[in-house]
Amino acid sequence: MERSSHLPLQRVRSVRLVTAPTHDLWGTGRYFATMVTANRNPLLSTVVSGGYTQWTAIGKQIHASLEQLCSTYPLTIDRIALMPDHLHLCFRVTSPLSKSILRILVDWRET
């Protein structure tokens, strides 16, 4: 079944969270997530002179979608690094969640 999303987030293959081993993923705290595009296709940004990256239209859409996610859940994004085929996200959960942060990110990815 085709997704009706206007964002190509279904191209993101995996979500990895790095937290303390005993962290519950429902509460407040700082998180680091990495998401990789399907087949590591370079869809999110391009490398320009000096080794910097420039976000593609898809990368800009994903950034806007992450900002929208922060208005839905008590999340604050500290840093985003959009590489050509993956992104790194440093963020904080500022109050307890109704579902785990992993479930929120997987649902967001599948939007």
Side-chain angles (χ1 to χ4, degrees):
M1 180 173 166
E2 184 79 21
R3 288 197 174 93
S4 62
S5 173
H6 65 284
L7 295 173
L9 300 177
Q10 62 271 21
R11 293 182 180 158
V12 176
R13 183 188 65 187
S14 64
V15 176
R16 296 183 189 99
L17 286 174
V18 177
T19 63
T22 59
H23 199 75
D24 66 8
L25 301 180
W26 292 69
T28 61
R30 293 182 182 273
Y31 296 87
F32 175 82
T34 298
M35 299 175 210
V36 181
T37 60
N39 301 316
R40 297 195 71 98
N41 288 326
L43 305 170
L44 307 178
S45 66
T46 57
V47 178
V48 294
S49 66
Y52 294 99
T53 57
Q54 182 174 11
W55 295 0
T56 64
I58 291 172
K60 290 175 185 175
Q61 288 177 316
I62 288 175
H63 181 259
S65 178
L66 283 167
E67 287 181 341
Q68 181 65 33
L69 189 68
C70 290
S71 68
T72 305
Y73 295 99
L75 307 176
T76 301
I77 295 174
D78 293 322
R79 297 278 188 267
I80 298 174
L82 275 175
M83 310 308 262
D85 62 356
H86 67 284
L87 68 90
H88 298 294
L89 181 65
C90 297
F91 63 99
R92 288 176 279 143
V93 175
T94 56
S95 60
L97 299 166
S98 58
K99 55 184 172 180
S100 79
I101 191 61
L102 183 58
R103 174 53 39 207
I104 290 169
L105 290 176
V106 168
D107 289 349
W108 168 79
R109 176 193 73 186
E110 295 175 352
T111 304

